[in-house]
Amino acid sequence: MRDWLLYLIIAGALVFAVSSWWGVRRLRALHTRSAVWEDTHNPGLSRQKVAVVLNPIKARSAEARALVESACLAAGWEAPCFFETTAEDPGFGQARAAVESGADVVLVGGGDGTVRVVADVLAHTNVAMGLLPLGTGNLLARNIHLDIGDLHGCVQTALFGHQRFIDTARMTVQNALTDESAEYAFLVIAGIGMDAEVIGDTNDGLKKAVGWLAYTEAGVRHLPGRRKRVSISLDDQPEQSRKIRSVLFANCGLIPGGIDFIPQAMIDDGVLDVVVMSPRSAIGWVAMYWKIVLKHKRNLPVMTYYRSGKIVITCAEPMPTQVDGDPSGDATTLTVRVAPHSLLVRVKEDALVRDKGVTAA
């Protein structure tokens, strides 16, 4: 009996590995996400004042600092200003100080949380943001086609690359039971329900050891569970009542593992792609998994897609929420809005050419 259980586990691992490999191959062949609406443009600055908001506890933070200093020195620019995040301030004050210093570009060295906080400050300004991906997921960096393993290349793009505007989004979390409310910016994917449960229950030690794969372990533990009834209103239209496990709000949809979770989600189209997931059993989860990995176009009753600029969700009991992989509290009312073309980011000069080439292939 134990042998059969072992064989089953091995078979499941092989299926996951093969399907993930196939998903990556399809992603490379079909991915058309970023830079589909707006041409990238050169900043047109011969000299730049550079500021860096840096999370000093990240493993490669010292390397990132040295690379930025060296690049600015080689370009003949003044030395960059560094603003380090702290446990008390994850980047809000540092980003404001960077803007007040007169920076032409603010580089962000950290994980998704640091990027999200700095973007919150830089949105609706003409100050560009450059990415130095030092985190586990590096979600925005993936969605603008940066090579997250090439830190030197990311520094070069952040300092000397082209730039373009992308959408940002804001989520207001209200809890009627505690009378608490908060507002968060996000850039990639926010959600309510099981996805937030998984993020909140992921083992930190395992996350440091295996990176984003730690979410898989937590996800398996949270697969069993009951659906919860919520009311959903899109763009101020009448509410619809649904039983859900999770609702996701995607500004763009490329996630770790090479998985194009929501292929139709574009980072600059002025709307959010809303995914309502309501599987009742393991069969529903398997069907959703294969639809995502193999990019089947057939509709599934347990996975419904919408597009909207504003989403309001209300629920009788508080449900956990998350923004770009960070827990954001429990909500009985959730309001999500998109802010079109509100953030200027540095990207590779050839991003548009490559995407159009892939699209045409």
PDB file of all heavy atoms in Angstrom, residues 305-342:
ATOM      1  N   TYR A 305     -14.272  34.767 -16.367  1.00  0.00           N
ATOM      2  CA  TYR A 305     -13.459  35.953 -16.609  1.00  0.00           C
ATOM      3  C   TYR A 305     -14.340  37.169 -16.901  1.00  0.00           C
ATOM      4  O   TYR A 305     -15.335  37.064 -17.611  1.00  0.00           O
ATOM      5  CB  TYR A 305     -12.524  35.738 -17.804  1.00  0.00           C
ATOM      6  CG  TYR A 305     -11.477  34.677 -17.596  1.00  0.00           C
ATOM      7  CD1 TYR A 305     -11.741  33.337 -17.869  1.00  0.00           C
ATOM      8  CD2 TYR A 305     -10.202  35.007 -17.137  1.00  0.00           C
ATOM      9  CE1 TYR A 305     -10.773  32.356 -17.691  1.00  0.00           C
ATOM     10  CE2 TYR A 305      -9.229  34.042 -16.954  1.00  0.00           C
ATOM     11  CZ  TYR A 305      -9.521  32.721 -17.237  1.00  0.00           C
ATOM     12  OH  TYR A 305      -8.560  31.760 -17.057  1.00  0.00           O
ATOM     13  N   TYR A 306     -13.929  38.304 -16.368  1.00  0.00           N
ATOM     14  CA  TYR A 306     -14.586  39.585 -16.658  1.00  0.00           C
ATOM     15  C   TYR A 306     -13.499  40.637 -16.858  1.00  0.00           C
ATOM     16  O   TYR A 306     -12.339  40.436 -16.484  1.00  0.00           O
ATOM     17  CB  TYR A 306     -15.501  40.021 -15.509  1.00  0.00           C
ATOM     18  CG  TYR A 306     -16.553  39.027 -15.128  1.00  0.00           C
ATOM     19  CD1 TYR A 306     -16.320  38.092 -14.116  1.00  0.00           C
ATOM     20  CD2 TYR A 306     -17.793  39.017 -15.762  1.00  0.00           C
ATOM     21  CE1 TYR A 306     -17.296  37.166 -13.754  1.00  0.00           C
ATOM     22  CE2 TYR A 306     -18.777  38.092 -15.400  1.00  0.00           C
ATOM     23  CZ  TYR A 306     -18.518  37.169 -14.404  1.00  0.00           C
ATOM     24  OH  TYR A 306     -19.477  36.254 -14.047  1.00  0.00           O
ATOM     25  N   ARG A 307     -13.881  41.780 -17.419  1.00  0.00           N
ATOM     26  CA  ARG A 307     -12.969  42.924 -17.530  1.00  0.00           C
ATOM     27  C   ARG A 307     -13.700  44.148 -16.999  1.00  0.00           C
ATOM     28  O   ARG A 307     -14.844  44.404 -17.359  1.00  0.00           O
ATOM     29  CB  ARG A 307     -12.531  43.138 -18.980  1.00  0.00           C
ATOM     30  CG  ARG A 307     -11.968  41.894 -19.635  1.00  0.00           C
ATOM     31  CD  ARG A 307     -11.375  42.181 -21.007  1.00  0.00           C
ATOM     32  NE  ARG A 307     -10.028  42.734 -20.865  1.00  0.00           N
ATOM     33  CZ  ARG A 307      -9.511  43.634 -21.674  1.00  0.00           C
ATOM     34  NH1 ARG A 307     -10.252  44.155 -22.642  1.00  0.00           N
ATOM     35  NH2 ARG A 307      -8.274  44.045 -21.512  1.00  0.00           N
ATOM     36  N   SER A 308     -13.016  44.904 -16.131  1.00  0.00           N
ATOM     37  CA  SER A 308     -13.696  46.012 -15.468  1.00  0.00           C
ATOM     38  C   SER A 308     -12.680  47.031 -14.963  1.00  0.00           C
ATOM     39  O   SER A 308     -11.538  46.681 -14.649  1.00  0.00           O
ATOM     40  CB  SER A 308     -14.539  45.478 -14.310  1.00  0.00           C
ATOM     41  OG  SER A 308     -15.184  46.520 -13.616  1.00  0.00           O
ATOM     42  N   GLY A 309     -13.115  48.275 -14.866  1.00  0.00           N
ATOM     43  CA  GLY A 309     -12.268  49.312 -14.291  1.00  0.00           C
ATOM     44  C   GLY A 309     -12.508  49.516 -12.811  1.00  0.00           C
ATOM     45  O   GLY A 309     -11.684  50.121 -12.120  1.00  0.00           O
ATOM     46  N   LYS A 310     -13.639  49.005 -12.313  1.00  0.00           N
ATOM     47  CA  LYS A 310     -13.969  49.122 -10.897  1.00  0.00           C
ATOM     48  C   LYS A 310     -14.728  47.878 -10.470  1.00  0.00           C
ATOM     49  O   LYS A 310     -15.652  47.428 -11.150  1.00  0.00           O
ATOM     50  CB  LYS A 310     -14.829  50.361 -10.643  1.00  0.00           C
ATOM     51  CG  LYS A 310     -15.293  50.508  -9.185  1.00  0.00           C
ATOM     52  CD  LYS A 310     -16.236  51.694  -9.010  1.00  0.00           C
ATOM     53  CE  LYS A 310     -16.762  51.798  -7.590  1.00  0.00           C
ATOM     54  NZ  LYS A 310     -17.729  52.900  -7.423  1.00  0.00           N
ATOM     55  N   ILE A 311     -14.325  47.307  -9.339  1.00  0.00           N
ATOM     56  CA  ILE A 311     -14.959  46.095  -8.817  1.00  0.00           C
ATOM     57  C   ILE A 311     -15.250  46.309  -7.342  1.00  0.00           C
ATOM     58  O   ILE A 311     -14.390  46.788  -6.589  1.00  0.00           O
ATOM     59  CB  ILE A 311     -14.045  44.862  -8.979  1.00  0.00           C
ATOM     60  CG1 ILE A 311     -13.580  44.713 -10.426  1.00  0.00           C
ATOM     61  CG2 ILE A 311     -14.767  43.611  -8.506  1.00  0.00           C
ATOM     62  CD1 ILE A 311     -12.195  45.263 -10.684  1.00  0.00           C
ATOM     63  N   VAL A 312     -16.472  45.970  -6.938  1.00  0.00           N
ATOM     64  CA  VAL A 312     -16.841  46.020  -5.522  1.00  0.00           C
ATOM     65  C   VAL A 312     -17.344  44.643  -5.109  1.00  0.00           C
ATOM     66  O   VAL A 312     -18.240  44.086  -5.744  1.00  0.00           O
ATOM     67  CB  VAL A 312     -17.929  47.076  -5.251  1.00  0.00           C
ATOM     68  CG1 VAL A 312     -18.309  47.071  -3.764  1.00  0.00           C
ATOM     69  CG2 VAL A 312     -17.460  48.456  -5.669  1.00  0.00           C
ATOM     70  N   ILE A 313     -16.750  44.096  -4.053  1.00  0.00           N
ATOM     71  CA  ILE A 313     -17.149  42.786  -3.527  1.00  0.00           C
ATOM     72  C   ILE A 313     -17.558  42.954  -2.072  1.00  0.00           C
ATOM     73  O   ILE A 313     -16.842  43.575  -1.279  1.00  0.00           O
ATOM     74  CB  ILE A 313     -16.004  41.765  -3.642  1.00  0.00           C
ATOM     75  CG1 ILE A 313     -15.712  41.467  -5.111  1.00  0.00           C
ATOM     76  CG2 ILE A 313     -16.336  40.478  -2.898  1.00  0.00           C
ATOM     77  CD1 ILE A 313     -14.607  40.457  -5.322  1.00  0.00           C
ATOM     78  N   THR A 314     -18.714  42.415  -1.729  1.00  0.00           N
ATOM     79  CA  THR A 314     -19.168  42.418  -0.342  1.00  0.00           C
ATOM     80  C   THR A 314     -19.425  40.987   0.102  1.00  0.00           C
ATOM     81  O   THR A 314     -19.876  40.146  -0.690  1.00  0.00           O
ATOM     82  CB  THR A 314     -20.451  43.250  -0.164  1.00  0.00           C
ATOM     83  OG1 THR A 314     -21.474  42.737  -1.045  1.00  0.00           O
ATOM     84  CG2 THR A 314     -20.200  44.711  -0.510  1.00  0.00           C
ATOM     85  N   CYS A 315     -19.134  40.701   1.355  1.00  0.00           N
ATOM     86  CA  CYS A 315     -19.331  39.350   1.889  1.00  0.00           C
ATOM     87  C   CYS A 315     -19.811  39.439   3.329  1.00  0.00           C
ATOM     88  O   CYS A 315     -19.515  40.403   4.046  1.00  0.00           O
ATOM     89  CB  CYS A 315     -18.042  38.526   1.792  1.00  0.00           C
ATOM     90  SG  CYS A 315     -16.520  39.431   2.085  1.00  0.00           S
ATOM     91  N   ALA A 316     -20.560  38.436   3.733  1.00  0.00           N
ATOM     92  CA  ALA A 316     -21.171  38.442   5.061  1.00  0.00           C
ATOM     93  C   ALA A 316     -20.140  38.277   6.161  1.00  0.00           C
ATOM     94  O   ALA A 316     -20.267  38.854   7.251  1.00  0.00           O
ATOM     95  CB  ALA A 316     -22.227  37.341   5.147  1.00  0.00           C
ATOM     96  N   GLU A 317     -19.116  37.482   5.910  1.00  0.00           N
ATOM     97  CA  GLU A 317     -18.067  37.261   6.892  1.00  0.00           C
ATOM     98  C   GLU A 317     -16.733  37.721   6.322  1.00  0.00           C
ATOM     99  O   GLU A 317     -16.511  37.652   5.109  1.00  0.00           O
ATOM    100  CB  GLU A 317     -17.986  35.782   7.277  1.00  0.00           C
ATOM    101  CG  GLU A 317     -17.793  34.838   6.097  1.00  0.00           C
ATOM    102  CD  GLU A 317     -17.793  33.396   6.526  1.00  0.00           C
ATOM    103  OE1 GLU A 317     -16.818  32.973   7.196  1.00  0.00           O
ATOM    104  OE2 GLU A 317     -18.763  32.685   6.194  1.00  0.00           O
ATOM    105  N   PRO A 318     -15.829  38.214   7.153  1.00  0.00           N
ATOM    106  CA  PRO A 318     -14.541  38.715   6.638  1.00  0.00           C
ATOM    107  C   PRO A 318     -13.770  37.628   5.905  1.00  0.00           C
ATOM    108  O   PRO A 318     -13.725  36.465   6.335  1.00  0.00           O
ATOM    109  CB  PRO A 318     -13.809  39.160   7.908  1.00  0.00           C
ATOM    110  CG  PRO A 318     -14.876  39.416   8.913  1.00  0.00           C
ATOM    111  CD  PRO A 318     -15.951  38.410   8.616  1.00  0.00           C
ATOM    112  N   MET A 319     -13.158  38.020   4.792  1.00  0.00           N
ATOM    113  CA  MET A 319     -12.328  37.120   4.005  1.00  0.00           C
ATOM    114  C   MET A 319     -10.946  37.741   3.828  1.00  0.00           C
ATOM    115  O   MET A 319     -10.820  38.960   3.710  1.00  0.00           O
ATOM    116  CB  MET A 319     -12.976  36.846   2.638  1.00  0.00           C
ATOM    117  CG  MET A 319     -14.301  36.120   2.718  1.00  0.00           C
ATOM    118  SD  MET A 319     -15.037  35.830   1.066  1.00  0.00           S
ATOM    119  CE  MET A 319     -13.817  34.723   0.345  1.00  0.00           C
ATOM    120  N   PRO A 320      -9.887  36.915   3.800  1.00  0.00           N
ATOM    121  CA  PRO A 320      -8.530  37.456   3.660  1.00  0.00           C
ATOM    122  C   PRO A 320      -8.295  38.019   2.262  1.00  0.00           C
ATOM    123  O   PRO A 320      -8.889  37.565   1.285  1.00  0.00           O
ATOM    124  CB  PRO A 320      -7.641  36.246   3.930  1.00  0.00           C
ATOM    125  CG  PRO A 320      -8.492  35.073   3.557  1.00  0.00           C
ATOM    126  CD  PRO A 320      -9.891  35.442   3.931  1.00  0.00           C
ATOM    127  N   THR A 321      -7.416  39.009   2.167  1.00  0.00           N
ATOM    128  CA  THR A 321      -7.076  39.638   0.895  1.00  0.00           C
ATOM    129  C   THR A 321      -5.557  39.686   0.749  1.00  0.00           C
ATOM    130  O   THR A 321      -4.809  39.534   1.720  1.00  0.00           O
ATOM    131  CB  THR A 321      -7.649  41.062   0.793  1.00  0.00           C
ATOM    132  OG1 THR A 321      -6.984  41.906   1.750  1.00  0.00           O
ATOM    133  CG2 THR A 321      -9.139  41.069   1.067  1.00  0.00           C
ATOM    134  N   GLN A 322      -5.106  39.936  -0.490  1.00  0.00           N
ATOM    135  CA  GLN A 322      -3.674  40.077  -0.745  1.00  0.00           C
ATOM    136  C   GLN A 322      -3.449  41.023  -1.912  1.00  0.00           C
ATOM    137  O   GLN A 322      -4.310  41.164  -2.784  1.00  0.00           O
ATOM    138  CB  GLN A 322      -3.026  38.716  -1.040  1.00  0.00           C
ATOM    139  CG  GLN A 322      -3.551  37.987  -2.268  1.00  0.00           C
ATOM    140  CD  GLN A 322      -2.862  38.390  -3.568  1.00  0.00           C
ATOM    141  OE1 GLN A 322      -1.798  39.012  -3.548  1.00  0.00           O
ATOM    142  NE2 GLN A 322      -3.454  38.033  -4.697  1.00  0.00           N
ATOM    143  N   VAL A 323      -2.293  41.703  -1.901  1.00  0.00           N
ATOM    144  CA  VAL A 323      -1.894  42.566  -3.012  1.00  0.00           C
ATOM    145  C   VAL A 323      -0.473  42.204  -3.417  1.00  0.00           C
ATOM    146  O   VAL A 323       0.453  42.273  -2.605  1.00  0.00           O
ATOM    147  CB  VAL A 323      -1.982  44.068  -2.646  1.00  0.00           C
ATOM    148  CG1 VAL A 323      -3.415  44.543  -2.602  1.00  0.00           C
ATOM    149  CG2 VAL A 323      -1.302  44.362  -1.317  1.00  0.00           C
ATOM    150  N   ASP A 324      -0.309  41.772  -4.655  1.00  0.00           N
ATOM    151  CA  ASP A 324       1.006  41.414  -5.188  1.00  0.00           C
ATOM    152  C   ASP A 324       1.795  40.499  -4.252  1.00  0.00           C
ATOM    153  O   ASP A 324       3.009  40.665  -4.049  1.00  0.00           O
ATOM    154  CB  ASP A 324       1.823  42.678  -5.495  1.00  0.00           C
ATOM    155  CG  ASP A 324       1.320  43.403  -6.731  1.00  0.00           C
ATOM    156  OD1 ASP A 324       0.479  42.837  -7.453  1.00  0.00           O
ATOM    157  OD2 ASP A 324       1.770  44.546  -6.972  1.00  0.00           O
ATOM    158  N   GLY A 325       1.096  39.550  -3.662  1.00  0.00           N
ATOM    159  CA  GLY A 325       1.766  38.560  -2.834  1.00  0.00           C
ATOM    160  C   GLY A 325       1.968  38.942  -1.387  1.00  0.00           C
ATOM    161  O   GLY A 325       2.611  38.205  -0.632  1.00  0.00           O
ATOM    162  N   ASP A 326       1.401  40.079  -0.948  1.00  0.00           N
ATOM    163  CA  ASP A 326       1.483  40.487   0.457  1.00  0.00           C
ATOM    164  C   ASP A 326       0.096  40.474   1.080  1.00  0.00           C
ATOM    165  O   ASP A 326      -0.854  41.015   0.489  1.00  0.00           O
ATOM    166  CB  ASP A 326       2.065  41.898   0.586  1.00  0.00           C
ATOM    167  CG  ASP A 326       3.548  41.946   0.273  1.00  0.00           C
ATOM    168  OD1 ASP A 326       4.236  40.943   0.534  1.00  0.00           O
ATOM    169  OD2 ASP A 326       4.016  42.984  -0.229  1.00  0.00           O
ATOM    170  N   PRO A 327      -0.068  39.898   2.275  1.00  0.00           N
ATOM    171  CA  PRO A 327      -1.372  39.943   2.953  1.00  0.00           C
ATOM    172  C   PRO A 327      -1.801  41.391   3.191  1.00  0.00           C
ATOM    173  O   PRO A 327      -0.982  42.247   3.534  1.00  0.00           O
ATOM    174  CB  PRO A 327      -1.111  39.217   4.276  1.00  0.00           C
ATOM    175  CG  PRO A 327       0.087  38.359   4.016  1.00  0.00           C
ATOM    176  CD  PRO A 327       0.937  39.132   3.043  1.00  0.00           C
ATOM    177  N   SER A 328      -3.101  41.665   3.002  1.00  0.00           N
ATOM    178  CA  SER A 328      -3.601  43.036   3.172  1.00  0.00           C
ATOM    179  C   SER A 328      -4.831  43.097   4.061  1.00  0.00           C
ATOM    180  O   SER A 328      -5.625  44.031   3.966  1.00  0.00           O
ATOM    181  CB  SER A 328      -3.898  43.662   1.801  1.00  0.00           C
ATOM    182  OG  SER A 328      -4.670  42.803   0.980  1.00  0.00           O
ATOM    183  N   GLY A 329      -5.007  42.096   4.932  1.00  0.00           N
ATOM    184  CA  GLY A 329      -6.079  42.141   5.912  1.00  0.00           C
ATOM    185  C   GLY A 329      -7.366  41.483   5.452  1.00  0.00           C
ATOM    186  O   GLY A 329      -7.537  41.127   4.280  1.00  0.00           O
ATOM    187  N   ASP A 330      -8.295  41.334   6.394  1.00  0.00           N
ATOM    188  CA  ASP A 330      -9.601  40.745   6.109  1.00  0.00           C
ATOM    189  C   ASP A 330     -10.585  41.828   5.696  1.00  0.00           C
ATOM    190  O   ASP A 330     -10.526  42.954   6.184  1.00  0.00           O
ATOM    191  CB  ASP A 330     -10.134  40.014   7.344  1.00  0.00           C
ATOM    192  CG  ASP A 330      -9.315  38.771   7.667  1.00  0.00           C
ATOM    193  OD1 ASP A 330      -8.487  38.381   6.813  1.00  0.00           O
ATOM    194  OD2 ASP A 330      -9.485  38.209   8.752  1.00  0.00           O
ATOM    195  N   ALA A 331     -11.507  41.456   4.817  1.00  0.00           N
ATOM    196  CA  ALA A 331     -12.463  42.438   4.298  1.00  0.00           C
ATOM    197  C   ALA A 331     -13.875  41.889   4.285  1.00  0.00           C
ATOM    198  O   ALA A 331     -14.094  40.708   3.995  1.00  0.00           O
ATOM    199  CB  ALA A 331     -12.074  42.855   2.879  1.00  0.00           C
ATOM    200  N   THR A 332     -14.832  42.758   4.598  1.00  0.00           N
ATOM    201  CA  THR A 332     -16.235  42.465   4.313  1.00  0.00           C
ATOM    202  C   THR A 332     -16.691  43.250   3.080  1.00  0.00           C
ATOM    203  O   THR A 332     -17.660  42.881   2.435  1.00  0.00           O
ATOM    204  CB  THR A 332     -17.123  42.827   5.511  1.00  0.00           C
ATOM    205  OG1 THR A 332     -16.882  44.194   5.895  1.00  0.00           O
ATOM    206  CG2 THR A 332     -16.852  41.903   6.699  1.00  0.00           C
ATOM    207  N   THR A 333     -15.958  44.321   2.775  1.00  0.00           N
ATOM    208  CA  THR A 333     -16.199  45.075   1.540  1.00  0.00           C
ATOM    209  C   THR A 333     -14.847  45.383   0.907  1.00  0.00           C
ATOM    210  O   THR A 333     -13.930  45.868   1.575  1.00  0.00           O
ATOM    211  CB  THR A 333     -16.939  46.394   1.797  1.00  0.00           C
ATOM    212  OG1 THR A 333     -18.197  46.124   2.407  1.00  0.00           O
ATOM    213  CG2 THR A 333     -17.176  47.134   0.481  1.00  0.00           C
ATOM    214  N   LEU A 334     -14.749  45.103  -0.374  1.00  0.00           N
ATOM    215  CA  LEU A 334     -13.503  45.301  -1.114  1.00  0.00           C
ATOM    216  C   LEU A 334     -13.810  46.125  -2.361  1.00  0.00           C
ATOM    217  O   LEU A 334     -14.702  45.783  -3.131  1.00  0.00           O
ATOM    218  CB  LEU A 334     -12.929  43.937  -1.510  1.00  0.00           C
ATOM    219  CG  LEU A 334     -11.478  43.895  -1.997  1.00  0.00           C
ATOM    220  CD1 LEU A 334     -10.539  44.218  -0.857  1.00  0.00           C
ATOM    221  CD2 LEU A 334     -11.169  42.516  -2.565  1.00  0.00           C
ATOM    222  N   THR A 335     -13.086  47.217  -2.543  1.00  0.00           N
ATOM    223  CA  THR A 335     -13.264  48.059  -3.729  1.00  0.00           C
ATOM    224  C   THR A 335     -11.941  48.169  -4.462  1.00  0.00           C
ATOM    225  O   THR A 335     -10.922  48.550  -3.868  1.00  0.00           O
ATOM    226  CB  THR A 335     -13.757  49.460  -3.355  1.00  0.00           C
ATOM    227  OG1 THR A 335     -14.967  49.355  -2.586  1.00  0.00           O
ATOM    228  CG2 THR A 335     -14.033  50.292  -4.604  1.00  0.00           C
ATOM    229  N   VAL A 336     -11.948  47.831  -5.744  1.00  0.00           N
ATOM    230  CA  VAL A 336     -10.720  47.834  -6.553  1.00  0.00           C
ATOM    231  C   VAL A 336     -10.939  48.740  -7.762  1.00  0.00           C
ATOM    232  O   VAL A 336     -11.957  48.635  -8.450  1.00  0.00           O
ATOM    233  CB  VAL A 336     -10.359  46.411  -7.018  1.00  0.00           C
ATOM    234  CG1 VAL A 336      -9.031  46.418  -7.755  1.00  0.00           C
ATOM    235  CG2 VAL A 336     -10.310  45.451  -5.832  1.00  0.00           C
ATOM    236  N   ARG A 337      -9.987  49.623  -8.020  1.00  0.00           N
ATOM    237  CA  ARG A 337     -10.062  50.540  -9.160  1.00  0.00           C
ATOM    238  C   ARG A 337      -8.740  50.545  -9.908  1.00  0.00           C
ATOM    239  O   ARG A 337      -7.668  50.446  -9.295  1.00  0.00           O
ATOM    240  CB  ARG A 337     -10.371  51.976  -8.707  1.00  0.00           C
ATOM    241  CG  ARG A 337     -11.757  52.189  -8.097  1.00  0.00           C
ATOM    242  CD  ARG A 337     -11.941  53.646  -7.715  1.00  0.00           C
ATOM    243  NE  ARG A 337     -13.272  53.947  -7.213  1.00  0.00           N
ATOM    244  CZ  ARG A 337     -13.629  53.821  -5.949  1.00  0.00           C
ATOM    245  NH1 ARG A 337     -12.746  53.391  -5.061  1.00  0.00           N
ATOM    246  NH2 ARG A 337     -14.861  54.127  -5.572  1.00  0.00           N
ATOM    247  N   VAL A 338      -8.801  50.701 -11.218  1.00  0.00           N
ATOM    248  CA  VAL A 338      -7.599  50.816 -12.029  1.00  0.00           C
ATOM    249  C   VAL A 338      -7.289  52.290 -12.266  1.00  0.00           C
ATOM    250  O   VAL A 338      -8.201  53.130 -12.335  1.00  0.00           O
ATOM    251  CB  VAL A 338      -7.770  50.076 -13.378  1.00  0.00           C
ATOM    252  CG1 VAL A 338      -8.794  50.764 -14.255  1.00  0.00           C
ATOM    253  CG2 VAL A 338      -6.431  49.946 -14.101  1.00  0.00           C
ATOM    254  N   ALA A 339      -5.998  52.612 -12.361  1.00  0.00           N
ATOM    255  CA  ALA A 339      -5.547  53.965 -12.687  1.00  0.00           C
ATOM    256  C   ALA A 339      -4.739  53.870 -13.980  1.00  0.00           C
ATOM    257  O   ALA A 339      -3.547  53.544 -13.949  1.00  0.00           O
ATOM    258  CB  ALA A 339      -4.692  54.541 -11.555  1.00  0.00           C
ATOM    259  N   PRO A 340      -5.365  54.134 -15.129  1.00  0.00           N
ATOM    260  CA  PRO A 340      -4.695  53.916 -16.419  1.00  0.00           C
ATOM    261  C   PRO A 340      -3.474  54.808 -16.605  1.00  0.00           C
ATOM    262  O   PRO A 340      -3.479  55.987 -16.253  1.00  0.00           O
ATOM    263  CB  PRO A 340      -5.799  54.262 -17.437  1.00  0.00           C
ATOM    264  CG  PRO A 340      -7.082  54.126 -16.690  1.00  0.00           C
ATOM    265  CD  PRO A 340      -6.760  54.550 -15.288  1.00  0.00           C
ATOM    266  N   HIS A 341      -2.418  54.212 -17.153  1.00  0.00           N
ATOM    267  CA  HIS A 341      -1.204  54.937 -17.558  1.00  0.00           C
ATOM    268  C   HIS A 341      -0.715  55.889 -16.473  1.00  0.00           C
ATOM    269  O   HIS A 341      -0.414  57.055 -16.737  1.00  0.00           O
ATOM    270  CB  HIS A 341      -1.463  55.703 -18.855  1.00  0.00           C
ATOM    271  CG  HIS A 341      -1.633  54.819 -20.042  1.00  0.00           C
ATOM    272  ND1 HIS A 341      -1.609  55.289 -21.326  1.00  0.00           N
ATOM    273  CD2 HIS A 341      -1.828  53.482 -20.145  1.00  0.00           C
ATOM    274  CE1 HIS A 341      -1.796  54.289 -22.174  1.00  0.00           C
ATOM    275  NE2 HIS A 341      -1.926  53.180 -21.471  1.00  0.00           N
ATOM    276  N   SER A 342      -0.605  55.385 -15.267  1.00  0.00           N
ATOM    277  CA  SER A 342      -0.288  56.249 -14.127  1.00  0.00           C
ATOM    278  C   SER A 342       1.141  56.121 -13.626  1.00  0.00           C
ATOM    279  O   SER A 342       1.559  56.886 -12.762  1.00  0.00           O
ATOM    280  CB  SER A 342      -1.257  55.937 -12.979  1.00  0.00           C
ATOM    281  OG  SER A 342      -1.273  54.551 -12.690  1.00  0.00           O
TER     282      SER A 342
END
